[in-house]
């Protein structure tokens, strides 16, 4: 895992129990069965942790931790 | 996979709801503003939004009947075409005067008001900052605008401040959206702090008072009145389908631009206007909400009685007496069992299940109104207590 993925994994662990097989390419909806309210809470946690703003439309194609980490990297990189 | 295959999941969810589908309850006959026949049984209604008992108010009924006979059953047109009658204009003037604002706009439903105002106000390049617990219509409206959509933590002005700061220059093109009274949990927005933070960043604030207009505040003007921010909020939206007992929605504002919204709000343009009878009943209800504050005093006492009763059952409730209270059950199955048991005992409440609930909780939503009696409130508390005791036995 990259550093951002590791931090996101820790944040996600506060919201739901992560299975042993969970990895950066696991599907947040299919594998973790996250509800939409939990996804919103996770994104807000990530925004506060990284001190960034993530518009909802940037999440349209995000299914995994790795994809969310990529979005965050792009926002932080300007 | 065909278009219809997705309904397999819907079907499975529906079958998991138990013996009675809570979304398919039929009111067979209204007996009063607070009681109805449901499943052949007289039932106490403790899950409507008839906060001021207006649905059965004689003067509102008479006004609707009179308009029906004089102006007909409908307008058959949009407000932008033939759908603006003199009564629509008068209702707008009366609403503006009620709030002390110069401008008001009436929509066909509360949902259309939220969609319509957002469609006019924000677009690509702008931003919308929603409270995380805001109503689905506000989230839907925000998505329709193609603006950047963000959320902030529920009722947390500090978090709002941090998030507006992160937007930088875009904060000046941001609409912050909150509700006055949150319809599921019954808690109020800290509007004074939210207004201050919003304006510090050059953003505008829209407050949805759907569940609080006519209900909260000495003059019935909602949480904006209670929090002392009538002069500083930018837009207030609301619905007539709760305290007013009819249907329709509105927006009032101190900004003259509200008068131009009609030219750029598709949900306003492409819908037939409210019927003459609806407008007449709404105007009659507004007069009562404005001129008879004792109705709110009575409701506040009933709310306090409900909260006291719920506390005696050991339940956690809000400090502020509002007509909405929610009871959290540990599981979806227990919430469904409690809801069914209450209906079997002649009490109708709402049930809210994940994923459509704050915190993914399984909730019973209780609501009362000014037309309820103290005995009604006591009956609700007593039967709820018995049902919860049975579940825990």
């Amino acid at each position: 895992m990259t550093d951002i993925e590791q931090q996101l994994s820790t944040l996600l662990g506060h919201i739901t129990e992560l299975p042993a097989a969970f990895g950066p390419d696991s599907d947040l909806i299919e594998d973790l069965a996250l509800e939409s309210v939990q996804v919103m809470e996770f994104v807000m946690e990530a925004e506060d942790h990284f001190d960034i703003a993530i518009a909802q439309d940037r999440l349209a194609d995000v299914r995994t931790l790795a994809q969310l980490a990529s979005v965050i990297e792009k926002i932080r990189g300007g | 996979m065909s278009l219809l295959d997705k309904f397999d999941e819907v079907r499975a969810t529906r079958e998991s709801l138990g013996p009675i589908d809570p979304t398919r309850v039929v009111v067979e006959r209204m007996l009063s503003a607070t009681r109805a026949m449901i499943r052949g049984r007289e039932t106490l209604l403790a899950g409507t939004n008839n906060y001021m008992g207006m649905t059965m108010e004689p003067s509102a009924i008479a006004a609707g009947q009179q308009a029906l006979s004089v102006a007909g059953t409908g307008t058959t047109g949009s407000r932008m075409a033939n759908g603006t009658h003199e009564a629509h204009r008068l209702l707008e003037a009366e609403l503006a005067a009620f709030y002390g604002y110069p401008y008001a706009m009436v929509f066909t439903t509360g949902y259309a008001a939220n969609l319509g105002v957002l469609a006019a106000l924000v677009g690509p390049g702008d931003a919308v900052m929603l409270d995380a617990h805001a109503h689905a219509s506000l989230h839907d409206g925000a998505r329709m605008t193609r603006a950047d959509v963000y959320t902030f933590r529920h009722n947390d002005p500090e978090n709002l401040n941090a998030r507006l700061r992160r937007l930088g220059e875009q904060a000046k093109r941001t609409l912050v959206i909150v509700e006055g009274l949150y319809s599921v949990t019954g808690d109020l927005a800290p509007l004074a702090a939210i207004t201050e933070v919003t304006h510090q960043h050059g953003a505008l604030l829209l407050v949805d008072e759907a569940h609080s207009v006519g209900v909260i505040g000495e003059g019935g003007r909602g949480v904006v009145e209670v929090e002392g921010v009538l002069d500083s909020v930018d837009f207030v939206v609301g619905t007539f389908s709760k305290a007013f007992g009819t249907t329709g929605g509105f927006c009032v504002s101190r900004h003259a631009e509200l008068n131009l919204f009609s030219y750029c709000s598709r949900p306003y343009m492409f819908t037939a206007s409210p019927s003459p009878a609806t407008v007449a009943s709404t105007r009659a209800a507004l007069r009562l909400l404005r001129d008879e504050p004792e109705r709110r005093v009575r409701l506040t006492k009933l709310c306090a009685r409900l909260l006291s009763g719920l506390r005696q059952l050991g339940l956690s409730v809000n400090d502020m007496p509002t007509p909405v209270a929610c009871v959290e059950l540990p599981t979806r199955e227990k919430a469904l069992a409690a809801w069914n048991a209450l209906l079997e005992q002649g009490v109708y409440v709402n049930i809210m299940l994940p994923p459509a609930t704050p915190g993914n909780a399984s909730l019973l939503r209780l609501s009362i109104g000014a037309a309820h009696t103290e005995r009604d409130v006591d009956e609700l508390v007593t039967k709820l207590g018995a049902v919860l005791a049975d579940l825990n036995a």
Side-chain angles (χ1 to χ4, degrees):
Chain A
M1 279 196 194
T2 66
D3 180 45
I4 291 180
E5 287 168 358
Q6 187 60 56
Q7 292 179 60
L8 284 172
S9 180
T10 303
L11 294 174
L12 190 55
H14 297 155
I15 291 170
T16 189
E17 195 171 329
L18 302 180
F22 180 78
D25 294 319
S26 300
D27 191 303
L28 297 171
I29 307 297
E30 296 289 327
D31 298 334
L32 289 184
L34 286 186
E35 301 281 8
S36 56
V37 173
Q38 291 173 297
V39 172
M40 187 165 75
E41 175 62 26
F42 177 43
V43 171
M44 286 197 294
E45 285 281 347
E47 289 178 304
D48 287 341
H49 180 79
F50 293 103
D51 197 25
I52 55 171
I54 308 174
Q56 284 182 9
D57 65 350
R58 297 192 75 153
L59 300 168
D61 297 323
V62 170
R63 302 282 301 186
T64 68
L65 218 58
Q67 289 166 342
L68 179 58
S70 172
V71 168
I72 291 171
E73 271 180 50
K74 282 178 190 153
I75 291 171
R76 294 173 96 190
Chain B
M1 184 173 171
S2 85
L3 285 176
L4 302 179
D5 287 346
K6 65 170 92 58
F7 291 99
D8 290 345
E9 195 178 334
V10 178
R11 192 172 289 111
T13 302
R14 183 185 162 178
E15 283 166 5
S16 75
L17 291 174
I20 311 168
D21 178 350
T23 68
R24 295 287 177 95
V25 171
V26 176
V27 174
E28 290 143 8
R29 186 160 52 92
M30 290 301 296
L31 301 174
S32 70
T34 57
R35 295 203 177 246
M37 296 301 291
I38 296 177
R39 296 174 65 81
R41 182 185 294 115
E42 181 176 329
T43 301
L44 173 66
L45 299 174
T48 73
N49 301 306
N50 197 6
Y51 300 130
M52 303 309 292
M54 285 292 168
T55 57
M56 292 290 181
E57 187 60 40
S59 66
I61 292 171
Q65 287 171 331
Q66 168 71 6
L68 195 59
S69 62
V70 171
T73 54
T75 67
T76 75
S78 156
R79 292 290 306 276
M80 298 294 280
N82 62 299
T84 295
H85 292 195
E86 179 66 6
H88 294 89
R89 299 288 299 274
L90 289 171
L91 174 57
E92 286 171 338
E94 288 157 4
L95 272 170
F98 175 65
Y99 274 95
Y101 290 144
Y103 309 103
M105 188 172 179
V106 164
F107 294 80
T108 306
T109 66
Y111 189 85
N114 281 342
L115 261 54
V117 169
L118 284 170
L121 256 178
V122 290
D126 302 327
V128 175
M129 182 69 75
L130 286 154
D131 183 285
H133 288 188
H135 190 261
S137 62
L138 295 166
H139 283 273
D140 290 352
R143 274 197 288 270
M144 273 178 59
T145 65
R146 292 188 289 148
D148 295 331
V149 180
Y150 305 93
T151 51
F152 70 98
R153 292 182 188 282
H154 175 56
N155 273 355
D156 188 340
E158 279 184 32
N159 191 250
L160 173 63
N161 186 43
R163 284 162 188 274
L164 287 172
R165 173 182 54 74
R166 288 175 203 148
L167 294 186
E169 277 301 302
Q170 196 186 28
K172 294 189 179 69
R173 298 180 60 178
T174 298
L175 181 69
V176 175
I177 301 177
V178 299
E179 293 183 39
L181 188 160
Y182 285 86
S183 59
V184 176
T185 47
D187 52 336
L188 305 184
L191 279 186
I194 285 173
T195 305
E196 187 180 350
V197 167
T198 299
H199 289 161
Q200 273 171 4
H201 291 272
L204 298 181
L205 177 63
L206 180 147
V207 182
D208 183 347
E209 296 265 25
H211 291 265
S212 31
V213 60
V215 178
I216 303 278
E218 202 176 321
R221 287 167 295 187
V223 185
V224 288
E225 179 185 350
V226 173
E227 288 275 307
V229 291
L230 268 165
D231 293 341
S232 48
V233 296
D234 298 285
F235 300 94
V236 175
V237 291
T239 178
F240 302 132
S241 61
K242 297 172 174 63
F244 292 76
T246 62
T247 58
F250 69 88
C251 178
V252 292
S253 178
R254 58 196 173 90
H255 296 291
E257 285 78 6
L258 182 63
N259 277 347
L260 302 174
F261 279 20
S262 60
Y263 299 102
C264 36
S265 175
R266 294 171 68 86
Y268 180 85
M269 289 181 207
F270 299 110
T271 313
S273 63
S275 74
T278 297
V279 172
S281 293
T282 303
R283 291 179 65 203
L286 175 58
R287 282 192 286 277
L288 295 172
L289 295 172
R290 181 190 65 200
D291 298 340
E292 299 184 5
E294 61 272 19
R295 290 169 183 263
R296 277 182 291 280
V297 173
R298 172 178 162 65
L299 176 59
T300 302
K301 286 181 182 164
L302 289 171
C303 294
R305 190 179 186 92
L306 174 64
L307 294 191
S308 169
L310 295 177
R311 280 196 193 97
Q312 283 174 22
L313 294 180
L315 299 169
S316 166
V317 293
N318 295 318
D319 293 334
M320 176 92 177
T322 67
V324 178
C326 71
V327 177
E328 184 170 348
L329 278 297
T331 63
R332 168 193 176 89
E333 289 69 30
K334 284 205 169 187
L336 279 163
W339 182 85
N340 273 283
L342 278 169
L343 196 61
E344 286 297 319
Q345 292 191 29
V347 177
Y348 173 79
V349 301
N350 305 119
I351 183 168
M352 309 278 183
L353 298 173
T357 51
N360 242 15
S362 297
L363 306 168
L364 296 181
R365 174 186 182 269
L366 322 177
S367 68
I368 58 170
H372 280 109
T373 63
E374 292 181 348
R375 283 184 64 182
D376 290 335
V377 173
D378 294 346
E379 179 185 344
L380 170 61
V381 171
T382 302
K383 289 185 172 173
L384 176 67
V387 163
L388 295 178
D390 278 351
L391 279 178
N392 292 329

